[in-house]
Amino acid sequence: MSKYMNLKEKSYEIIKHNIINLIYRPGEYLEEKKLSSSLEVSRTPMREALSRLEDEGWVNIYPRKGIYVAKIDETLINNVFEARKTLEISSLKLTAGRLPQMKLELLKEKFADLTVDDPKKLEIIDDEFHNMIISFYDNFFLKKATVNIMEHAKRIKMFSLDRKVKEVILKSKEEHIILIDLLLEEKIEEAEQLLYEHLERAQRYYLKILVV
């Protein structure tokens, strides 16, 4: 990979990481010159990185106004969770007889050991579980789309991390344990239904946070 491509990729990855982890806040103005200076990247690779970030929904670029981090709003949450419900449940249909039981048992133990005082740990294990489900896609285009969707979902979760109440953490923990038991028993149709309900509840929860 050329030095130019490395600089463009470096800019893209660092800015996206900062957006997902809320170092750059939703709606924040990003000055291109300052970004280039802080990342030690020239104008052209920086602009190409920002164009890619706009294509993937991370920033909005307005002529003569500037670059702004995409907001977390009702449209984004609904779009992300509608996509997740479609992709994750479709992927679950492919998992029958293929899910590694040892991995499932380990994840079950991790969920069981969770306490209500550690929402960040819940999100880490939650990501591990859902990424395992979608890993069964043997399709380049679906995998690429799914990575983008799950990264946007991670930003939404980070946005709510300090607002998670104990009841929500306990409910999520309980649902994941039941879901894993269904998968261990290869009750895929029941698992699909519970996964759909789980994602629906999460969608409603994040929408509620917007108005609190």
Short mmCIF file of all heavy atoms in Angstrom, two decimals, residues 27 29 33 38 57 76 86 122 153 156 163 176:
data_model
loop_
_atom_site.label_atom_id
_atom_site.label_comp_id
_atom_site.label_asym_id
_atom_site.label_seq_id
_atom_site.Cartn_x
_atom_site.Cartn_y
_atom_site.Cartn_z
N GLY A 27 -23.13 16.24 15.92
CA GLY A 27 -23.40 17.62 15.57
C GLY A 27 -22.20 18.55 15.67
O GLY A 27 -22.28 19.73 15.30
N TYR A 29 -18.81 20.56 14.95
CA TYR A 29 -18.15 21.10 13.75
C TYR A 29 -16.71 20.59 13.72
O TYR A 29 -15.99 20.66 14.72
CB TYR A 29 -18.17 22.62 13.78
CG TYR A 29 -17.34 23.28 12.70
CD1 TYR A 29 -17.69 23.17 11.36
CD2 TYR A 29 -16.19 23.99 13.05
CE1 TYR A 29 -16.92 23.79 10.37
CE2 TYR A 29 -15.41 24.61 12.07
CZ TYR A 29 -15.78 24.50 10.73
OH TYR A 29 -15.02 25.09 9.76
N LYS A 33 -8.82 21.93 8.30
CA LYS A 33 -7.42 22.34 8.48
C LYS A 33 -6.85 21.80 9.79
O LYS A 33 -5.72 21.31 9.85
CB LYS A 33 -7.32 23.86 8.44
CG LYS A 33 -5.88 24.38 8.39
CD LYS A 33 -5.87 25.90 8.22
CE LYS A 33 -4.44 26.42 8.17
NZ LYS A 33 -4.40 27.89 8.01
N SER A 38 -3.60 18.00 12.98
CA SER A 38 -3.48 17.09 14.13
C SER A 38 -3.10 15.68 13.70
O SER A 38 -2.41 14.97 14.43
CB SER A 38 -4.78 17.07 14.92
OG SER A 38 -5.83 16.51 14.14
N GLY A 57 -22.12 7.74 6.32
CA GLY A 57 -23.05 8.32 7.29
C GLY A 57 -22.44 8.85 8.57
O GLY A 57 -23.16 9.11 9.54
N LEU A 76 -31.82 8.06 12.40
CA LEU A 76 -30.65 7.17 12.46
C LEU A 76 -30.95 5.93 13.28
O LEU A 76 -30.67 4.80 12.84
CB LEU A 76 -29.47 7.92 13.09
CG LEU A 76 -28.22 7.05 13.32
CD1 LEU A 76 -27.58 6.67 11.99
CD2 LEU A 76 -27.20 7.75 14.21
N THR A 86 -33.37 -7.02 10.23
CA THR A 86 -33.37 -7.77 8.97
C THR A 86 -32.12 -8.64 8.84
O THR A 86 -32.20 -9.84 8.58
CB THR A 86 -33.44 -6.79 7.77
OG1 THR A 86 -34.65 -6.05 7.86
CG2 THR A 86 -33.40 -7.55 6.46
N LEU A 122 -21.26 -4.87 29.76
CA LEU A 122 -22.42 -5.42 29.05
C LEU A 122 -22.32 -5.13 27.56
O LEU A 122 -22.55 -6.02 26.74
CB LEU A 122 -23.72 -4.83 29.61
CG LEU A 122 -24.98 -5.12 28.78
CD1 LEU A 122 -25.31 -6.60 28.74
CD2 LEU A 122 -26.18 -4.33 29.33
N ALA A 153 -24.41 1.23 15.29
CA ALA A 153 -25.10 0.76 16.50
C ALA A 153 -24.22 0.96 17.74
O ALA A 153 -24.72 1.32 18.82
CB ALA A 153 -25.48 -0.72 16.36
N ILE A 156 -24.45 4.54 18.89
CA ILE A 156 -25.72 4.77 19.59
C ILE A 156 -25.62 4.25 21.02
O ILE A 156 -26.08 4.89 21.97
CB ILE A 156 -26.88 4.10 18.84
CG1 ILE A 156 -27.11 4.80 17.49
CG2 ILE A 156 -28.16 4.12 19.67
CD1 ILE A 156 -28.05 4.04 16.55
N ARG A 163 -26.46 6.48 30.82
CA ARG A 163 -27.86 6.66 31.18
C ARG A 163 -28.57 5.32 31.42
O ARG A 163 -29.76 5.29 31.68
CB ARG A 163 -28.61 7.41 30.07
CG ARG A 163 -27.87 8.64 29.60
CD ARG A 163 -28.66 9.35 28.53
NE ARG A 163 -27.79 10.18 27.71
CZ ARG A 163 -28.22 11.07 26.84
NH1 ARG A 163 -29.51 11.25 26.69
NH2 ARG A 163 -27.38 11.77 26.14
N HIS A 176 -30.33 -12.22 26.86
CA HIS A 176 -29.20 -12.86 26.19
C HIS A 176 -28.97 -14.29 26.69
O HIS A 176 -28.66 -15.18 25.90
CB HIS A 176 -27.92 -12.03 26.39
CG HIS A 176 -27.83 -10.84 25.48
ND1 HIS A 176 -28.24 -9.59 25.86
CD2 HIS A 176 -27.40 -10.73 24.20
CE1 HIS A 176 -28.04 -8.75 24.86
NE2 HIS A 176 -27.54 -9.41 23.84
#
